Amino acid sequence: MDRFTRIPVREQDPNQRNKNFEEVCYGYNHEEAVAEAKRCLNCKKPMCRTGCPVSVDIPAFIHHIANDDPEGAAKELSKHTALPAVCGRVCPQESQCEKYCVLNNKGDSVSIGKLERYAADYARDNNIQTMEVEAPNGHKVAVVGAGPAGITVAGELVKKGYDVTVFESLQQAGGVLVYGIPEFRLPDEVVASEVEKLKDLGVKFETNTIVGRTMSLDGIRGEGYEAIFLGTGAGLPRFMNIPGENYNGVFSANEFLTRTNLMHAYEAGYDTPIIAGRRTAVIGGGNVAMDAARVAKRLGAHVTVVYRRTETELPARAEEVHHAKEEGIEFHFLTNPIEIHADEEGWVKSMLLQQMELGEPDESGRRRPVPIEGKTYEVEVDTVIMALGTNPNPLITSTNPDIETNRKQGIVITEDGQSSVEDVFAGGDAVTGAATVILAMGAGKKAAEGIDQYIKEKYGN
């Protein structure tokens, strides 16, 4: 075995997968996983943990796999994360844990994400309950939002003996994991299985409950909950505010992905309206843009991603960009829309694009794109999908003005996740705006520790 070359992972053929919604990556089988795990050097000072927002003991779980003990690996993972099968599929390991692997100095890092997925899938396929819970402690906590932050809080607190109820506005738990990430990247059954594990441990889920409308925070308090966690996500899409943005055929990526992922618009038998068009432009360069582009391709459109910087600055995962290119999606770099045109009936027919160049760095540290005067061109499109990020959902904070927010409507919190209201904690996209799943989980883990400390100090053990 070559210590410095990772075991390749099997995937669907690009020209088949760009026409279906089946999972692209097949993951490792047992032999592949063991061989990859044996590449780990078991470092005395494992730098890989430095890059993990939930502080997984990476060498420990990999050591179990290398020693033919996937059950032990899954149980080790469960000490640190409530969503290992999710993290193994969608987390940007290349910029987190794998980035710090010492094998990068001479070759490929250990494929930590694929090994995490393998261990988690093994536990699911063999019906292994990996989490252990303490005896009930008599304290109740409410979690608002069943996305990655909320699920993490619920998992951490139920393990400590808390009575936890999760209130979710949609009909299905999972948040962005089910409405935002397509099936070909993260199958719904994987998310559902992680949720079922929490239910088995005693976490209760109340769906179709809109806190701020059908239930208030005071109403939750009135039911005996001693702390409330807000993990309401960032579902408020951003637009460019350019002429023509209100024409028929212009979507936010949020709406486009929700219609396909949660409402199954791509499946026969579901009466969910969706328009992918013949020629679709996706504006943006993040993971959501890649997801929207790849969904539109599967719905039969010719798809172009329009991004105002160069490929080097793309914020999307390298793997997602690679998959998009393999599937036949085109990219227009250093390009920005300035106007959308429509036919006489108000349906999009074309888009005017401005060529850009990179100037001085902006506050993010990336070079700012600036227009090249006189360099514009028009392209024929009939669908435009805006994937420009999202802001926190303002529903709860607008009905609870004593919860402090910043100028982007993000909830202001302390280091341990506590808001300006003593018994209200928050984390994830509701605080930061749209970010990664693993960062939301990391925030949830910190908030769970903060809630535990708050309740112990106020009410005792």
Side-chain angles (χ1 to χ4, degrees):
M1 180 184 74
D2 179 1
R3 172 74 75 179
F4 301 106
T5 303
R6 68 169 51 180
I7 303 296
V9 67
R10 292 162 291 115
E11 296 177 342
Q12 264 201 84
D13 178 82
N15 288 322
Q16 292 179 342
R17 71 182 192 234
N18 66 7
K19 301 174 186 65
N20 67 55
F21 280 77
E22 295 166 15
E23 193 166 12
V24 167
C25 178
Y26 294 132
Y28 285 144
N29 61 28
H30 179 70
E31 292 74 19
E32 291 165 341
V34 171
E36 180 64 18
K38 286 182 176 178
R39 294 180 58 231
C40 178
L41 298 176
N42 240 338
C43 304
K44 288 185 178 179
K45 291 185 178 180
M47 297 303 295
C48 53
R49 293 195 72 179
T50 304
C52 179
V54 294
S55 301
V56 168
D57 190 341
I58 293 166
F61 96 79
I62 291 179
H63 181 73
H64 281 290
I65 297 174
N67 285 280
D68 204 16
D69 180 20
E71 180 174 338
K75 288 181 175 177
E76 178 62 41
L77 281 165
S78 73
K79 296 176 184 177
H80 310 278
T81 171
L83 297 168
V86 172
C87 292
R89 285 170 165 85
V90 303
C91 287
Q93 291 95 6
E94 69 279 1
S95 62
Q96 294 179 336
C97 52
E98 293 177 7
K99 176 182 177 180
Y100 296 95
C101 178
V102 296
L103 289 178
N104 278 322
N105 295 329
K106 291 189 177 180
D108 299 330
S109 67
V110 173
S111 190
I112 298 168
K114 299 296 187 291
L115 291 176
E116 181 177 15
R117 168 183 167 163
Y118 165 74
D121 285 359
Y122 178 89
R124 183 178 74 252
D125 294 341
N126 291 279
N127 296 312
I128 297 168
Q129 178 54 270
T130 57
M131 291 186 182
E132 297 180 359
V133 298
E134 298 174 11
N137 62 21
H139 297 292
K140 292 177 69 175
V141 175
V143 174
V144 182
I151 287 174
T152 297
V153 170
E156 291 295 312
L157 292 179
V158 77
K159 287 192 292 186
K160 294 177 182 292
Y162 285 90
D163 179 347
V164 183
T165 300
V166 181
F167 299 95
E168 168 57 41
S169 62
L170 298 175
Q171 72 267 29
Q172 188 176 339
V176 70
L177 303 177
V178 291
Y179 72 73
I181 302 177
E183 285 263 320
F184 54 79
R185 275 221 293 146
L186 179 62
D188 282 356
E189 65 178 4
V190 172
V191 181
S193 173
E194 304 280 45
V195 170
E196 285 302 314
K197 282 194 305 186
L198 294 180
K199 288 181 179 178
D200 290 343
L201 295 176
V203 177
K204 296 176 282 293
F205 287 83
E206 293 194 16
T207 55
N208 298 308
T209 303
I210 305 175
V211 176
R213 284 285 185 271
T214 59
M215 177 178 276
S216 67
L217 296 189
D218 282 339
I220 290 174
R221 292 183 181 103
E223 294 186 9
Y225 292 96
E226 296 161 333
I228 301 168
F229 174 79
L230 302 180
T232 46
L236 190 64
R238 299 176 194 154
F239 286 89
M240 296 186 70
N241 297 318
I242 59 174
E245 217 167 27
N246 291 323
Y247 286 135
N248 298 322
V250 179
F251 292 88
S252 70
N254 202 43
E255 177 187 1
F256 184 77
L257 290 171
T258 299
R259 285 178 181 271
T260 52
N261 298 339
L262 193 66
M263 302 179 186
H264 294 265
Y266 61 91
E267 285 190 52
Y270 284 83
D271 189 17
T272 309
I274 191 72
I275 301 169
R278 292 181 304 106
R279 302 184 69 84
T280 296
V282 177
I283 317 303
N287 289 325
V288 173
M290 297 307 115
D291 286 343
R294 295 171 70 196
V295 165
K297 180 72 176 178
R298 283 159 171 77
L299 294 176
H302 175 277
V303 184
T304 302
V305 172
V306 176
Y307 182 58
R308 61 185 186 154
R309 290 183 169 95
T310 72
E311 183 169 0
T312 304
E313 286 82 29
L314 276 174
R317 291 187 68 188
E319 182 177 66
E320 303 309 318
V321 177
H322 170 69
H323 282 159
K325 287 182 176 180
E326 280 189 329
E327 292 166 9
I329 290 164
E330 296 180 3
F331 287 77
H332 284 201
F333 295 110
L334 289 171
T335 309
N336 206 37
I338 55 175
E339 191 169 342
I340 298 169
H341 301 147
D343 62 21
E344 60 278 3
E345 295 180 351
W347 288 91
V348 172
K349 68 174 184 179
S350 66
M351 186 166 57
L352 186 64
L353 299 175
Q354 169 75 59
Q355 290 188 11
M356 313 290 283
E357 61 184 355
L358 295 182
E360 295 301 311
D362 61 14
E363 61 276 5
S364 72
R366 295 182 299 172
R367 293 175 64 193
R368 185 189 303 276
V370 293
I372 302 174
E373 191 172 346
K375 292 279 189 176
T376 62
Y377 63 101
E378 193 166 359
V379 294
E380 179 188 347
V381 292
D382 51 20
T383 307
V384 178
I385 301 172
M386 296 290 181
L388 306 168
T390 49
N391 288 328
N393 188 329
L395 177 59
I396 292 178
T397 53
S398 66
T399 54
N400 293 271
D402 47 345
I403 298 175
E404 184 184 351
T405 58
N406 59 28
R407 63 182 180 85
K408 292 185 177 180
Q409 296 300 307
I411 299 170
V412 176
I413 59 171
T414 63
E415 196 171 302
D416 61 1
Q418 192 170 33
S419 77
S420 56
V421 176
E422 180 186 66
D423 64 346
V424 176
F425 292 71
D429 292 1
V431 171
T432 62
T436 62
V437 169
I438 190 65
L439 289 177
M441 291 176 63
K445 199 167 182 178
K446 280 188 177 180
E449 293 170 1
I451 290 169
D452 181 47
Q453 188 65 32
Y454 164 74
I455 288 178
K456 283 177 178 175
E457 289 177 357
K458 183 158 186 173
Y459 301 100
N461 294 326

